Amino acid sequence: KAPSALAAARLEELVHRHQRSVRGFLLFLGCSPSAVDDLAQETFLAVFATGFEDQGDARAGAYLRVVARNCS
């Protein structure tokens, strides 16, 4: 099922706000620099698939780090 325009816009905003920190966290975990972009994308898609409701930067960042750790 294709995402709605609103859902796609929310995902885009989430990526825009947190992509740099998710990539940095993956590097901190020791992930290969060549794999970080793919792992970050996998992280955001996994979060999107759960029906994530953004509750602010701090909570979103914490949740994204948990998902990123599980994707790495």
Side-chain angles (χ1 to χ4, degrees), residues 41-52:
Q41 181 179 18
E42 198 174 313
T43 298
F44 286 106
L45 291 175
V47 166
F48 182 70
T50 67
F52 173 75

Side-chain angles (χ1 to χ4, degrees), residues 32-69:
S32 164
S34 63
V36 164
D37 286 333
D38 289 338
L39 291 169
Q41 181 179 18
E42 198 174 313
T43 298
F44 286 106
L45 291 175
V47 166
F48 182 70
T50 67
F52 173 75
E53 291 290 329
D54 192 350
Q55 297 181 3
D57 282 345
R59 285 186 177 186
Y63 184 66
L64 285 164
R65 285 189 298 276
V66 168
V67 175
R69 179 174 297 159

